[in-house]
Amino acid sequence: MRPAIIVHGGAWDIPPDMREAHLQGCSRAVEEGYALLSQGRSALDAVEAAVRLMEDDPTFDAGRGSFLNSDGEVELDAIIMEGDELRTGAVAAVQHILHPISLARAVMDRTQHCLLVGDGALRFARSIEMDTVEVPELLTCRELERWKAIRAEKAFEQRDVFEDAVTRYKRKGTVGAVALDSKGTIAAATSTGGTPNKLAGRVGDSPLIGCGNYADSRIAGVSVTGWGESIMKVVLAKRVCDNMERGMRPYEAGAEAIAYLKARVDGLAGVIVLARDGDMAHAFNTPHMAMACIDGQGRKKASL
Ligand code: ASP
């Protein structure tokens, strides 16, 4: 099997002055993941490494530079899944963790559970001696300013931040990666700071299996971004996989699921899809979606 990988850096109305940073961030992540795959490393290692790079990059709403919740705190969600045995690990509403994707992987590898939340997730991180960070390491000045501006507004619609309100909010996106390794295993990973000014304790689609992420090595892997409250209602990632199982190609499978999301709950989202034969695509109904991929021939593409 020839390895392949696709990553995304969010789906929303990315303004011109932020496009280069998104393309660069996605390109770096996809190259990092592909380098590992080329050395014979697993799809899990590749998606974890790609997502860690984007969690470090304040361009994105994941890890460092994430949105603040209504209490002015950073709460992060992440999930990782490997498609041979459908093993998965996730964390939600976790604080003081720079790389929630690695904590999600530890939940998968080192516990009997699939999802840990909040303080329990943090205590688990400490129990395995994962580094924790203080809020200033996750917080950027830009997020503090954004938070103050949103708090000063009377009405703030979460849905708007994915469609057309970027001139006001200059938002940023969730990150994700899907990889196929030389053994034919598919893995998928998604990591996010959620939505700006979310209520403390709010969990979006991203860490929920089948909603923000799914991987089945017999079919395909999927990572999702967009308005979480719409995505989780239609279990979007699993719908894309089910479409693939019914014989659709990646673009068709993604586009059908997005069209259903729009028709059923007026949702907004973007998906990346990687099939077991290495074919891949992305589909979205937001103004832009940041992505990059490297196919089985080693050809790289990045787009917005
Ligand atoms: N889906 C994420 C959430 O609702 C946000 C995003 O994808 O940008 O938490």
Side-chain angles (χ1 to χ4, degrees):
M1 192 63 76
R2 288 169 182 265
I5 180 165
I6 181 166
V7 308
H8 72 80
W12 55 287
D13 192 3
I14 304 169
D17 63 325
M18 293 176 76
R19 289 186 192 158
E20 191 51 35
H22 280 75
L23 283 175
Q24 291 289 333
C26 287
S27 290
R28 274 196 299 271
V30 86
E31 279 164 14
E32 173 85 5
Y34 188 76
L36 295 182
L37 292 168
S38 305
Q39 293 158 19
R41 298 269 295 274
S42 69
L44 268 175
D45 288 348
V47 294
E48 182 184 358
V51 166
R52 280 178 68 98
L53 263 193
M54 291 193 279
E55 288 174 337
D56 269 328
D57 185 343
T59 304
F60 303 107
D61 174 33
R64 180 175 288 118
S66 288
F67 291 134
L68 302 183
N69 68 14
S70 58
D71 291 349
E73 285 170 349
V74 177
E75 286 187 335
L76 304 173
D77 302 337
I79 183 169
I80 194 163
M81 183 165 185
E82 72 86 36
D84 288 355
E85 293 168 31
L86 308 186
R87 291 192 309 133
T88 189
V91 290
V94 66
Q95 296 188 298
H96 304 294
I97 298 293
L98 178 56
H99 290 299
I101 199 64
S102 295
L103 186 56
R105 182 158 183 190
V107 170
M108 181 180 83
D109 287 341
R110 301 171 69 166
T111 80
Q112 299 176 42
H113 307 302
C114 292
L115 172 63
L116 294 181
V117 305
D119 188 51
L122 181 57
R123 279 190 283 143
F124 169 64
R126 290 195 171 120
S127 77
I128 59 168
E129 287 167 15
M130 180 171 279
D131 285 344
T132 54
V133 292
E134 289 313 313
V135 175
E137 276 188 66
L138 295 169
L139 190 65
T140 57
C141 290
R142 192 172 59 187
E143 287 320 310
L144 204 52
E145 291 310 313
R146 187 201 318 270
W147 182 73
K148 286 184 192 153
I150 291 173
R151 300 292 291 175
E153 285 204 16
K154 292 210 167 41
F156 171 71
E157 288 296 327
Q158 296 264 320
R159 185 184 186 281
D160 284 352
V161 297
F162 295 93
E163 198 162 47
D164 56 12
V166 287
T167 43
R168 277 188 295 154
Y169 301 123
K170 289 255 174 185
R171 72 169 302 266
K172 47 172 90 172
T174 292
V175 305
V178 186
L180 169 71
D181 64 28
S182 53
K183 297 197 174 77
T185 299
I186 295 176
T190 306
S191 180
T192 187
T195 48
N197 203 40
K198 63 186 181 181
L199 284 179
R202 177 265 190 191
V203 175
D205 61 299
S206 307
L208 305 181
I209 186 167
C211 298
N213 200 75
Y214 202 73
D216 185 338
S217 302
R218 298 177 187 179
I219 306 167
V222 180
S223 174
V224 175
T225 179
W227 179 32
E229 278 71 11
S230 67
I231 293 165
M232 61 174 94
K233 288 173 190 162
V234 304
V235 197
L236 193 68
K238 184 67 164 66
R239 187 178 179 101
V240 177
C241 258
D242 290 347
N243 283 343
M244 295 289 298
E245 197 171 18
R246 281 196 287 272
M248 291 186 197
R249 297 312 306 159
Y251 178 75
E252 194 188 359
E256 187 284 336
I258 298 270
Y260 178 77
L261 172 82
K262 174 74 183 157
R264 191 68 182 85
V265 292
D266 198 22
L268 293 164
V271 299
I272 53 173
V273 194
L274 174 52
R276 56 181 276 232
D277 63 4
D279 194 11
M280 54 191 153
H282 67 300
F284 55 102
N285 68 346
T286 49
H288 297 276
M289 179 173 188
M291 64 76 67
C293 61
I294 301 182
D295 69 12
Q297 271 70 49
R299 290 177 302 216
K300 187 175 134 191
K301 190 177 107 186
S303 74
L304 272 178

